[in-house]
Amino acid sequence: MPSINIDMYFDESPDPMLICQTNTLQITEANEAALSLFGYSEDDIQALSLSDLCPPEMTLELRNMQEAERDSFEELGEWKRVTESGDVIYLDAKA
C-alpha cells in the first residue's frame, strides 16, 4: 500500500486549507489555494488568527467551535470568511 505524503496533499490540494493552533487559532500554515482565495501572502496570513478572517457576527460561533472537543474531523457546515479585500465569502468548514 503506497504511503500518503500529508505535506504534499496539503500543499497541492485545490481546496483552500489552513492549519491553526487550537488554543489561539493562530494560522500556522496555508496552502496555495487558501492564499489565492483570501488574497494574502504566506507571511501576511501567518500573522493572522482565524478570528481575523471572520466577520464580527461569527465571533461567538468561532469561539464555540474552538472550545468543542473532537476526536476526529467533523463537518462544521457553511462559514463566512472575509478576504484581504474585505469581500465576504462562504466556505464549507471542517475541524
Side-chain angles (χ1 to χ4, degrees):
M1 180 162 155
S3 65
I4 298 173
N5 183 327
I6 298 298
D7 290 334
M8 189 170 70
Y9 173 77
F10 176 82
D11 292 337
E12 295 180 9
S13 175
D15 296 322
M17 294 186 192
L18 301 171
I19 297 175
C20 305
Q21 293 291 324
T22 55
N23 56 339
T24 65
L25 298 180
Q26 182 70 36
I27 298 170
T28 58
E29 298 285 334
N31 69 358
E32 285 298 322
L35 297 175
S36 177
L37 178 67
F38 289 108
Y40 288 99
S41 70
E42 188 171 359
D43 289 338
D44 288 343
I45 206 163
Q46 288 178 355
L48 302 174
S49 75
L50 251 184
S51 59
D52 295 319
L53 299 178
C54 284
E57 68 270 16
M58 296 290 294
T59 303
L60 180 60
E61 195 170 349
L62 180 63
R63 189 172 302 128
N64 290 339
M65 182 271 309
Q66 180 185 12
E67 293 172 357
E69 292 189 26
R70 290 179 187 75
D71 293 329
S72 62
F73 283 103
E74 68 181 66
E75 300 282 336
L76 299 176
E78 188 173 81
W79 283 66
K80 289 183 190 178
R81 292 290 182 256
V82 180
T83 66
E84 183 186 35
S85 64
D87 295 332
V88 175
I89 58 175
Y90 296 84
L91 302 173
D92 288 325
K94 297 176 179 80

